[in-house]
Amino acid sequence: MPASSDTWKAAEEYANFSSTKFNHKLCTKKFNMPLAMSGELVAEPMSKLLFLDKLDSFLGKNALLRSISKSDSFDNCIYSLAHLTCRTQSIKQNMELLEGKDACMTLSAFAVLLLVIYYVRTHCKRYPSGPRALPFIGNLHQIRRSKSIVNFCEQNRKIYGDVFTIEIGGTKRVVVSGYKAMHELLILHADCTSTRSIKAFTKTIQEDSKVNPGLVWAPFPQWKNIRKFAFTELKKEGMGKSIMELQILEEIDQYTSTFIQPNLSKPINMHLTLPQATCNIISQLVFGRRFEYNDEEFNRMMRALNESMGLISQATTLRNIPFISFLMKSVIMREQHLKRDVMIPTIRKYIEEHKKSLDPAAPRDLIDKLLIAANSQHGFSESNAAFVSFHLYAAGSETTATTLRWALLFMCKHPDIKRIVQLEIDEQIGLDHAASYKDHLHMPYTDAVLMETMRISNVVATSLPHYTSADIFIDGKMIPADTEILLNMASVLHDETVFEDPTKFKPERYLTGNIALKKQRTIPFGIGKRACLGESLAKMELFLFFVTLMQKYDVCLPPESAVTTDPVTTLLNMPQSYDILFSPRGYL
Ligand code: HEM
């Protein structure tokens, strides 16, 4: 539709007073304006209000058009108004051609205007640039081609920088990479980025989260109280402190005597059994008790937890593909069943048992404290106590067990490094003493091996989703409010400007050069207000488990094993499932 001469007159008047280049070529292309009008005019600035007033005289003081101008950038506003002027004028002309000013036509014209306004508004929400997305599927095909979201983010970071937008199934998400941008996002703008949204993940979680947000999915104001409470009380219960050591060592003892027969002809797979041990350690804090590995109810809960993580991962992918999202229903129904009929009822049963012997004057564990708070503090409830416990199990057991499995795999792949670790253990602890967490202070090599394991394995590769609660600028780019943020953890953990040969397993990197910088950039637990709540516990568990296993056993892969250190990415970056052989120390 050619622009009317009136529109152009307004635009030229503006251009005559404006210091910005009024890009006729763009207008010509975008609004099909006559070529004769193209060319660039450069002139002096003129106020936005003055220009709008001039356009108003063509548009007849239209309040709706004015409202667009308020919400838009100046340049966009000009284009939008010019566009709308063309449309309005063409509607006018068309209406004049028709006989009579029929109300129906007026309404249609109004509807067209509303549609145009809607289009302008929705398309003018500015996101940082990013890889071109296809209709409906967005960037899913490129993620598939890159083989993982981690590779995809790293490839596009090279093109679009530390802040770029991707689209998955019609939803725009902003990927933030690099320590500087993450620091800006999660620390300097913590108040606007520390919320998670019930929009994240599946509908099941959304629905449950409204009533029982637990801890991980709790939105910002509610989360603050629950997190503070859980963190303080878990610390009092011994999280990350020496009083917790005995319970962890006891669990390791139970695990090794149940599952490890040091027998070179009998490989074992720790994928399903290790989370039982790490889950039991959390149980000690939450319920003040551990469960026997052959306890059927406990096993049912562990199997359900494992399956449910896989289902959430599947549902998250399916949710992103329009038209086939109906397939997600069966996945969700199964996940819902596992949570509502297996995991939460089991936890509720333990809570009921606790209630019977609860002494408000002498709380024994986190559950007692949550029950007392449910009766006395706003924002706490008995039903949410079950979800808080569930979130601690879900967030803390598989992550720690997976990291430990990575550490053992690296030891099998690097027997020279394993020998240095064992030498350090022999020198600092000996063969007969149980390890203590404070030993890590004088075991720099073993400490470096664990740090390198966490760095390279990047277990929670895109962290947990954060949401913006206001428009913010990161690295000079605007991220609109209510946007899901993906944290590209590999951009920090595998940053080659800090870690030379970042994909090589080299623990000695933490013993030379700028060690402080390397430790600061090793952030597998995230940073900021919403960083991992269980970091101190996880570090203690990893050290005690790893050192005890290396102290007692030699490890290797069965000769026929084809396992590599390429990760399998689901919700977590996992090692490939592998069998491992344990033998008594010195046997190999
Ligand atoms: C090696 C083991 C672990 C790793 C790598 C890990 C990593 C993470 C990461 C990356 C986050 C998200 C941070 C963010 O949103 O910015 C997180 C959150 C969380 N983690 Fe861990 N974690 C581990 C172990 C644990 C343990 C043992 C516990 C339990 C005591 C735990 C409890 C939590 C909780 C409750 C949250 C949610 C915090 C919140 O939303 O406020 N994690 N973890």
Side-chain angles (χ1 to χ4, degrees):
M1 175 75 53
S4 76
S5 58
D6 279 348
T7 314
W8 265 120
K9 226 166 108 195
E12 282 185 3
E13 274 192 57
Y14 160 72
N16 280 333
F17 287 98
S18 168
S19 64
T20 46
K21 286 187 176 182
F22 193 72
N23 190 336
H24 280 216
K25 274 183 191 156
L26 181 62
C27 283
T28 305
K29 200 169 159 206
K30 195 164 177 181
F31 303 127
N32 201 12
M33 289 171 174
L35 267 179
M37 297 292 183
S38 66
E40 283 179 348
L41 295 171
V42 184
E44 292 303 311
M46 169 167 102
S47 83
K48 178 177 177 178
L49 273 179
L50 193 55
F51 174 64
L52 292 178
D53 271 342
K54 284 180 182 300
L55 272 181
D56 262 359
S57 64
F58 296 109
L59 297 169
K61 302 272 177 224
N62 188 319
L64 278 170
L65 297 174
R66 258 197 173 290
S67 74
I68 301 175
S69 66
K70 274 186 202 151
S71 66
D72 209 347
S73 79
F74 195 10
D75 277 355
N76 249 4
C77 167
I78 294 158
Y79 297 141
S80 309
L81 286 172
H83 190 182
L84 286 168
T85 313
C86 300
R87 292 282 185 114
T88 320
Q89 302 239 339
S90 90
I91 289 164
K92 259 196 215 156
Q93 283 161 11
N94 287 341
M95 283 172 75
E96 277 159 18
L97 287 177
L98 294 172
E99 287 197 341
K101 289 186 180 173
D102 164 14
C104 180
M105 283 300 289
T106 315
L107 273 178
S108 323
F110 188 64
V112 171
L113 255 181
L114 284 181
L115 273 176
V116 174
I117 288 164
Y118 170 78
Y119 177 86
V120 170
R121 271 187 171 277
T122 50
H123 283 69
C124 286
K125 197 170 178 184
R126 292 281 181 92
Y127 287 91
S129 57
R132 204 188 166 92
L134 290 180
F136 305 114
I137 60 165
N139 300 107
L140 267 184
H141 59 301
Q142 292 146 319
I143 297 176
R144 224 182 119 83
R145 213 180 304 137
S146 305
K147 296 216 168 78
S148 77
I149 182 89
V150 179
N151 295 344
F152 174 73
C153 290
E154 280 297 83
Q155 286 155 6
N156 282 288
R157 183 190 179 205
K158 291 189 184 121
I159 306 167
Y160 300 100
D162 283 344
V163 180
F164 62 88
T165 305
I166 62 172
E167 198 174 311
I168 306 183
T171 309
K172 288 189 191 300
R173 288 161 208 190
V174 170
V175 179
V176 174
S177 308
Y179 187 81
K180 196 171 150 280
M182 277 192 206
H183 185 272
E184 209 180 335
L185 181 90
L186 300 172
I187 308 235
L188 303 182
H189 286 287
D191 286 344
C192 311
T193 57
S194 297
T195 196
R196 304 210 200 276
S197 168
I198 51 169
K199 277 192 285 182
F201 285 103
T202 65
K203 261 200 177 127
T204 332
I205 294 178
Q206 287 176 31
E207 279 158 22
D208 287 340
S209 304
K210 279 184 203 150
V211 195
N212 296 303
L215 205 166
V216 174
W217 300 113
F220 190 58
Q222 218 174 341
W223 159 82
K224 232 174 155 179
N225 284 343
I226 299 173
R227 162 121 184 179
K228 195 170 166 208
F229 183 91
F231 188 69
T232 315
E233 296 308 333
L234 285 171
K235 278 255 168 222
K236 284 190 201 158
E237 289 303 316
M239 182 172 76
K241 293 192 183 161
S242 53
I243 47 169
M244 192 72 208
E245 258 182 29
L246 276 182
Q247 289 162 352
I248 298 176
L249 289 170
E250 164 64 16
E251 194 58 48
I252 297 171
D253 205 39
Q254 293 283 348
Y255 183 83
T256 50
S257 56
T258 310
F259 296 111
I260 298 181
Q261 293 91 35
N263 179 347
L264 276 181
S265 59
K266 207 167 171 209
I268 66 165
N269 190 316
M270 302 165 91
H271 178 58
L272 291 177
T273 56
L274 256 186
Q276 286 185 292
T278 48
C279 201
N280 254 339
I281 292 165
I282 295 169
S283 283
Q284 296 273 15
L285 287 167
V286 179
F287 289 107
R289 62 167 288 190
R290 65 177 298 277
F291 299 90
E292 292 303 327
Y293 295 129
N294 59 6
D295 180 326
E296 195 32 53
E297 204 166 39
F298 179 60
N299 274 322
R300 220 155 60 93
M301 193 172 83
M302 289 309 300
R303 281 196 301 272
L305 188 60
N306 183 277
E307 193 186 337
S308 145
M309 301 273 272
L311 292 169
I312 292 176
S313 178
Q314 278 176 38
T316 313
T317 313
L318 290 174
R319 148 192 102 128
N320 292 324
I321 310 172
F323 306 126
I324 63 158
S325 53
F326 64 90
L327 284 179
M328 199 171 76
K329 270 201 175 138
S330 61
V331 176
I332 285 177
M333 274 165 67
R334 173 80 187 145
E335 199 267 336
Q336 230 165 4
H337 157 71
L338 291 172
K339 191 156 67 190
R340 292 188 179 160
D341 303 334
V342 183
M343 292 182 282
I344 294 293
T346 311
I347 293 175
R348 287 216 169 106
K349 197 184 131 205
Y350 300 147
I351 293 180
E352 283 306 317
E353 283 168 13
H354 250 61
K355 264 168 74 181
K356 287 183 197 146
S357 52
L358 173 70
D359 174 3
R364 296 155 294 185
D365 43 42
L366 185 71
I367 279 297
D368 274 2
K369 288 172 182 171
L370 283 169
L371 288 172
I372 296 167
N375 291 325
S376 57
Q377 286 192 40
H378 177 69
F380 288 79
S381 69
E382 201 181 304
S383 71
N384 199 35
F387 280 81
V388 171
S389 318
F390 170 62
H391 285 173
L392 290 171
Y393 283 133
S397 56
E398 195 69 50
T399 42
T400 314
T402 301
T403 310
L404 203 48
R405 285 197 298 123
W406 273 115
L408 293 174
L409 180 60
F410 285 125
M411 291 306 95
C412 294
K413 291 280 179 189
H414 301 275
D416 47 335
I417 293 177
K418 180 190 69 183
R419 266 192 290 279
I420 304 176
V421 168
Q422 288 176 326
L423 209 64
E424 193 173 64
I425 294 172
D426 294 352
E427 276 171 9
Q428 299 298 331
I429 305 175
L431 281 175
D432 303 325
H433 276 87
S436 159
Y437 187 48
K438 64 179 171 0
D439 291 329
H440 86 277
L441 296 171
H442 44 90
M443 292 175 69
Y445 194 81
T446 308
D447 223 25
V449 165
L450 288 173
M451 238 179 312
E452 180 70 342
T453 301
M454 288 192 272
R455 184 194 71 77
I456 206 164
S457 61
N458 183 19
V459 165
V460 195
T462 48
S463 189
L464 290 174
H466 287 239
Y467 269 78
T468 49
S469 53
D471 292 354
I472 48 167
F473 279 87
I474 302 295
D475 196 32
K477 294 180 185 169
M478 209 270 267
I479 307 179
D482 206 23
T483 302
E484 184 177 326
I485 308 281
L486 287 188
L487 299 170
N488 174 12
M489 302 296 272
S491 65
V492 181
L493 295 172
H494 298 177
D495 179 353
E496 56 195 8
T497 64
V498 178
F499 306 105
E500 204 188 313
D501 283 338
T503 52
K504 293 235 163 75
F505 188 78
K506 294 202 313 197
E508 56 283 1
R509 68 171 86 245
Y510 286 102
L511 305 174
T512 54
N514 192 344
I515 300 170
L517 177 72
K518 290 177 204 169
K519 286 188 175 172
Q520 186 215 33
R521 300 297 166 87
T522 305
I523 53 163
F525 301 98
I527 52 171
K529 290 186 179 178
R530 206 106 201 203
C532 178
L533 174 132
E535 176 172 350
S536 57
L537 176 64
K539 282 181 171 167
M540 183 184 256
E541 281 182 63
L542 287 172
F543 182 82
L544 293 177
F545 239 110
F546 180 69
V547 167
T548 308
L549 292 179
M550 290 297 105
Q551 183 189 35
K552 286 190 172 176
Y553 309 106
D554 265 321
V555 287
C556 66
L557 296 170
E560 69 282 2
S561 171
V563 67
T564 71
T565 50
D566 291 341
V568 177
T569 307
T570 54
L571 267 191
L572 300 180
N573 251 347
M574 302 229 182
Q576 297 161 17
S577 177
Y578 68 91
D579 286 348
I580 185 168
L581 289 164
F582 284 85
S583 64
R585 273 287 301 281
Y587 190 84
L588 281 179

